[in-house]
Amino acid sequence: MTKKRVVIFTGGNLSPQFLNEIGKDDLIIAADRGALFLIENGVQPHIAVGDFDSITEQERESVRDNSERIITCDPVHKDLTDTEMAFEIALDLEPTDILMLGATGTRMDHTLANVHIMVRAMQHHISCTLQDEHNYMMLTTSQADVEDRGYEYVSLLPLTNEVTGITLEGFMYPLDQATIRMGQSLGISNKLLGKTGTVSIDSGLLLIIQSKD
């Protein structure tokens, strides 16, 4: 039976607090070191995937012994990152939502690639969010509700050349039918006035980032 939400734990910055994000009906996919993180914290991933070249042989044995299913690949002759492999598996399951944890870190190339992965989820009509200790990211092509999740700021960044018709409700700095083009900082560091706010746009692809220092 396909579960409605897939939670992907990958090998970037992970914190034990992320374990609280797991719902009882979620399907858990772990990429590379993300699998070891779960197992060390007493959680059995439904699927572990990757080349597992970032962990020791003893740790790989632990992943093999404590995952319901494991999918391995050659660390040299592969076209996808471990995170993208996990994401492809998640897409095949056709969930309504995907939550990605540990998808950011010191490697900016991997972080940006994982942000771009969210676009592919939207193309499959699947809601995708990316979360770490300091950021919560989502995309919209129409309207999005922004909830207070304990992050101080809300920033808007275009992922297309421009995003038009941006209207904000429930924010400290409102916008009405504004346009933001790539390279402009108009949408940086806004704040919610209450528990929720609404972001609406007419055209383009908008990245919404809730963040804190």
Coordinates of all heavy atoms in Angstrom, one line a residue, residues 7-8 10 21 26 46 50 58 65 77 107 113 115 126 130 132 139 145 157-158 164 194 196 212:
V7 N 9.3 10.5 3.8 CA 10.3 11.3 4.5 C 11.6 10.7 4.1 O 11.9 9.5 4.3 CB 10.1 11.2 6.0 CG1 11.2 12.1 6.6 CG2 8.7 11.7 6.4
I8 N 12.5 11.6 3.5 CA 13.8 11.2 3.1 C 14.8 11.8 4.0 O 14.9 13.0 4.2 CB 14.1 11.7 1.6 CG1 13.1 11.1 0.6 CG2 15.6 11.4 1.2 CD1 13.3 11.7 -0.8
T10 N 18.7 12.2 4.3 CA 19.9 12.0 3.6 C 21.2 12.4 4.4 O 21.0 12.7 5.6 CB 19.8 12.8 2.2 OG1 21.0 12.5 1.4 CG2 19.7 14.3 2.5
E21 N 9.7 14.5 13.4 CA 9.0 14.8 12.2 C 8.4 13.6 11.6 O 7.5 13.7 10.7 CB 9.9 15.5 11.1 CG 10.5 16.8 11.6 CD 9.5 17.9 11.7 OE1 8.4 17.8 11.1 OE2 9.8 18.8 12.5
D26 N 4.2 7.4 7.8 CA 5.2 7.8 6.8 C 6.0 6.6 6.3 O 6.3 5.7 7.1 CB 6.1 8.9 7.4 CG 5.5 10.2 7.7 OD1 4.4 10.5 7.1 OD2 6.0 11.0 8.5
H46 N 12.5 2.1 5.9 CA 11.8 1.2 5.1 C 12.7 0.8 3.9 O 12.8 -0.3 3.4 CB 10.5 1.7 4.6 CG 9.5 2.0 5.7 ND1 9.2 3.2 6.2 CD2 8.7 1.1 6.3 CE1 8.3 3.1 7.1 NE2 8.0 1.8 7.3
G50 N 22.0 3.9 -1.7 CA 23.2 4.7 -1.9 C 24.4 3.8 -2.1 O 24.3 2.6 -2.2
Q58 N 31.8 -1.8 8.9 CA 31.0 -2.2 10.1 C 29.7 -1.5 10.1 O 28.6 -2.1 10.4 CB 31.7 -2.0 11.4 CG 31.0 -2.5 12.6 CD 31.8 -2.3 13.9 OE1 33.0 -1.8 13.8 NE2 31.3 -2.6 15.0
D65 N 21.6 -4.8 8.1 CA 20.9 -5.7 9.1 C 19.7 -5.0 9.6 O 18.8 -5.7 10.1 CB 21.8 -6.0 10.2 CG 23.0 -7.0 9.8 OD1 22.9 -7.6 8.8 OD2 24.0 -7.0 10.6
H77 N 30.6 4.5 -10.9 CA 29.8 4.5 -12.1 C 28.4 4.7 -11.8 O 27.5 3.8 -11.9 CB 30.1 3.2 -12.9 CG 31.5 3.0 -13.3 ND1 32.3 2.2 -12.6 CD2 32.2 3.6 -14.3 CE1 33.5 2.2 -13.1 NE2 33.5 3.0 -14.2
R107 N 28.4 21.3 1.5 CA 28.6 21.2 0.1 C 27.5 22.0 -0.6 O 26.3 21.6 -0.7 CB 28.6 19.8 -0.4 CG 29.8 19.0 -0.1 CD 31.0 19.3 -1.0 NE 30.6 19.0 -2.4 CZ 30.8 17.9 -3.0 NH1 31.4 16.9 -2.4 NH2 30.5 17.7 -4.3
A113 N 21.5 21.5 -5.6 CA 20.9 20.4 -6.4 C 19.7 19.9 -5.7 O 18.7 19.6 -6.3 CB 21.9 19.3 -6.6
V115 N 17.7 21.6 -3.6 CA 16.7 22.6 -3.8 C 16.0 22.5 -5.2 O 14.8 22.5 -5.3 CB 17.2 24.0 -3.6 CG1 16.2 25.1 -4.0 CG2 17.7 24.2 -2.1
I126 N 3.4 16.8 -6.7 CA 3.7 16.3 -5.4 C 4.3 17.5 -4.6 O 5.2 18.1 -5.0 CB 4.7 15.2 -5.4 CG1 4.1 14.0 -6.1 CG2 5.1 14.7 -4.0 CD1 5.1 12.9 -6.4
L130 N 11.8 21.0 2.2 CA 13.2 20.7 2.6 C 13.4 21.4 3.9 O 13.2 22.6 4.0 CB 14.1 21.1 1.5 CG 15.6 20.7 1.5 CD1 16.2 20.8 0.2 CD2 16.4 21.6 2.5
D132 N 16.0 21.9 7.5 CA 17.1 21.7 8.4 C 16.9 22.5 9.7 O 15.8 23.0 9.9 CB 18.4 21.9 7.7 CG 18.6 23.4 7.3 OD1 18.0 24.3 7.9 OD2 19.4 23.7 6.3
L139 N 8.0 25.4 -2.4 CA 7.8 26.1 -3.7 C 6.3 26.4 -3.9 O 5.5 25.7 -3.4 CB 8.3 25.2 -4.8 CG 9.8 24.8 -4.8 CD1 10.1 23.9 -6.0 CD2 10.7 26.1 -5.0
D145 N 0.3 28.6 1.9 CA 0.1 29.1 3.3 C 1.4 28.9 4.0 O 2.0 27.8 4.0 CB -1.0 28.3 3.9 CG -2.4 28.6 3.3 OD1 -2.6 29.7 2.9 OD2 -3.2 27.6 3.2
L157 N 12.3 33.9 -3.0 CA 13.3 34.0 -4.1 C 12.8 33.4 -5.4 O 12.2 32.3 -5.3 CB 14.6 33.2 -3.7 CG 15.4 33.8 -2.5 CD1 16.5 32.8 -2.1 CD2 16.1 35.1 -3.0
P158 N 12.9 34.0 -6.5 CA 12.4 33.5 -7.7 C 13.3 32.4 -8.2 O 14.6 32.5 -8.2 CB 12.4 34.7 -8.7 CG 13.5 35.6 -8.2 CD 13.5 35.4 -6.7
T164 N 5.8 37.1 -11.0 CA 4.9 38.2 -11.1 C 3.6 38.0 -10.2 O 3.3 36.9 -9.8 CB 4.4 38.5 -12.5 OG1 3.5 37.4 -12.9 CG2 5.6 38.6 -13.5
G194 N 1.4 36.8 12.5 CA 0.7 35.9 13.4 C 1.1 34.5 13.1 O 2.3 34.2 12.8
T196 N -0.1 32.4 10.8 CA 0.0 32.0 9.3 C 0.0 33.3 8.5 O -0.4 34.3 8.9 CB -1.3 31.2 8.9 OG1 -2.5 31.9 9.2 CG2 -1.3 29.9 9.7
K212 N 16.1 31.0 10.3 CA 16.6 31.6 11.6 C 18.1 31.5 11.7 O 18.7 30.6 11.1 CB 15.9 30.9 12.8 CG 16.2 29.5 12.9 CD 15.4 28.9 14.1 CE 15.6 27.4 14.2 NZ 14.8 26.8 15.3

